[in-house]
Amino acid sequence: MNSLDSVVVIIPTFNERQNLPLVVSRVRAAAPSAEVLVVDDNSPDGTGKLADELAASDERVHVLHRTAKNGLGAAYLAGFAWALDRGFDVMVEMDADGSHQPEQLPSLLSALTGADLVIGARWVPGGRVENWPRHREALSRGANVYARLMLGIPLHDATGGYRAFRRETLEKLDLQGVDSRGYCFQIDLALRSLRAGLRVVEVPITFVERMHGSSKMSQDVIVESMIRVARWGIRDRLRALRR
């Protein structure tokens, strides 16, 4: 395994002004050597300006401003490109709303020593959610069962958005061909990693419902995910039949 010395935590934001300062502070405390990249999609509430202020007071905090809200996947792809260009060894995905506990970041990084991609998982032994409505939990559990059955993958939380990638992993995934925009992006990258023969490990995390603001989950995101997963599953089955 190659070096894991330089780590950047990528945090996409859209109207997260209330949550961002505490999340960044907790990341810096939990992993002092890690750097933080805030990818802001031109938030109307001034999140981008606040991120600039955080960066001005801490040399390990950086900001990437985007001109439009083009979805979670596009924001992460922009963050990955930024980090790859600057030679980081590890790229971490983390939500800006506090649902991903920065204090659990060391356990993800530790697991990465024996893996190519580590997913912080809610639906494995030891994983759990706090303060989540029952319908949200049912939706998430159902989506992951659906992905597991349709795609034939061994993951229990393929939609989980708290994850750590090795640089080499992202370089093998043909990121130019990724066009998933919403939460389906997480399934897409996990599937690509598995199909590339890479080692994907799930570690238990505690997922906590956001304190401020509203979820970015929408019906369009759910429909996109269901259609894409079905399409990928059918494609794989057709390829298997041809073989």
Side-chain angles (χ1 to χ4, degrees), residues 178-194:
V178 176
D179 62 356
S180 307
R181 288 176 173 263
Y183 289 85
C184 189
F185 172 80
Q186 309 295 9
I187 302 175
D188 192 350
L189 263 60
L191 180 62
R192 287 171 184 262
S193 298
L194 291 167

Side-chain angles (χ1 to χ4, degrees), residues 198-219:
L198 301 175
R199 179 169 168 74
V200 181
V201 171
E202 293 180 295
V203 300
I205 62 164
T206 298
F207 181 97
V208 181
E209 176 66 326
R210 65 165 58 235
M211 292 290 292
H212 305 287
S214 58
S215 171
K216 308 304 188 294
M217 179 70 74
S218 68
Q219 186 172 350

Side-chain angles (χ1 to χ4, degrees), residues 24-214:
V24 170
S25 174
R26 290 170 63 190
V27 171
R28 296 289 291 114
S33 63
E35 304 199 24
V36 175
L37 172 66
V38 178
V39 183
D40 185 66
D41 277 3
N42 197 26
S43 298
D45 74 344
T47 301
K49 182 176 183 296
L50 176 60
D52 286 335
E53 293 171 0
L54 295 174
S57 64
D58 186 340
E59 64 179 8
R60 289 188 174 272
V61 177
H62 315 276
V63 187
L64 178 60
H65 292 279
R66 289 166 20 95
T67 57
K69 186 175 184 292
N70 292 323
L72 184 70
Y76 272 128
L77 290 174
F80 291 156
W82 183 96
L84 289 168
D85 284 346
R86 287 158 179 78
F88 283 94
D89 300 317
V90 178
M91 294 81 173
V92 177
E93 296 182 7
M94 182 184 292
D95 285 354
D97 59 12
S99 56
H100 297 149
Q101 305 299 286
E103 294 75 19
Q104 295 182 316
L105 177 56
S107 68
L108 269 70
L109 297 177
S110 177
L112 198 60
T113 60
D116 299 295
L117 162 61
V118 174
I119 299 175
R122 299 158 290 186
W123 316 125
V124 297
R128 62 194 180 98
V129 298
E130 290 183 356
N131 303 324
W132 235 22
R134 287 178 181 254
H135 74 277
R136 287 285 304 278
E137 179 173 344
L139 178 63
S140 180
R141 286 184 181 273
N144 278 288
V145 170
Y146 176 72
R148 193 159 65 248
L149 294 176
M150 287 298 297
L151 302 174
I153 57 178
L155 302 177
H156 293 83
D157 201 351
T159 64
Y162 194 8
R163 48 181 68 186
F165 293 87
R166 286 177 174 270
R167 173 188 186 85
E168 297 79 17
T169 301
L170 291 174
E171 290 174 336
K172 293 174 182 176
L173 295 189
D174 181 27
L175 297 180
Q176 298 288 339
V178 176
D179 62 356
S180 307
R181 288 176 173 263
Y183 289 85
C184 189
F185 172 80
Q186 309 295 9
I187 302 175
D188 192 350
L189 263 60
L191 180 62
R192 287 171 184 262
S193 298
L194 291 167
R195 296 291 185 262
L198 301 175
R199 179 169 168 74
V200 181
V201 171
E202 293 180 295
V203 300
I205 62 164
T206 298
F207 181 97
V208 181
E209 176 66 326
R210 65 165 58 235
M211 292 290 292
H212 305 287
S214 58

